[in-house]
Amino acid sequence: TPAVATTPPVATTLPVATTPAVATTLPVATTPPVATTPSSGAEPDVVSARAWEHFQLLNQLRAEGFTCPGGDVFAPNPVPLKFDCLLWKASRLHSEDMAEQSYFSHT
């Protein structure tokens, strides 16, 4: 079962452009979700420090924008992605299944 936030993560705010002239703020988690012991008695799942760092870096790169070597330009996107414990768990289990069954698929 996924790490479940028992209390809201510590948050900061980032400006989010809603129109060219108006901005608002959205909370952005700065710490990973807190794991709890699942009711099924299974081991709790915890987001690794490395996975959390990658998630934070992704939001940083989105906010900065990027120009590919071939010239494709991706404008900055100030809307940060939100961490979803259930989606994280599903993707981790799918990756484990692919490794155990020796296959690769995104379906």
Side-chain angles (χ1 to χ4, degrees):
T1 58
V4 178
T6 56
T7 58
V10 176
T12 59
T13 56
L14 289 178
V16 178
T18 55
T19 65
V22 179
T24 184
T25 58
L26 289 177
V28 178
T30 57
T31 59
V34 178
T36 61
T37 304
S39 59
S40 66
E43 294 281 326
D45 290 321
V46 179
V47 176
S48 70
R50 184 176 186 178
W52 187 250
E53 179 183 12
H54 287 179
F55 179 74
Q56 290 177 310
L57 289 172
L58 177 61
N59 274 332
Q60 179 182 340
L61 289 171
R62 284 171 47 92
E64 294 171 0
F66 188 77
T67 301
C68 296
D72 291 335
V73 176
F74 295 89
N77 186 340
V79 180
L81 298 173
K82 294 180 183 179
F83 191 84
D84 183 318
C85 293
L86 293 177
L87 185 57
W88 169 80
K89 169 74 179 212
S91 66
R92 189 181 60 80
L93 289 175
H94 183 59
S95 294
E96 289 175 5
D97 184 63
M98 288 189 298
E100 291 170 4
Q101 304 298 322
S102 299
Y103 73 98
F104 181 82
S105 175
H106 285 105
T107 59

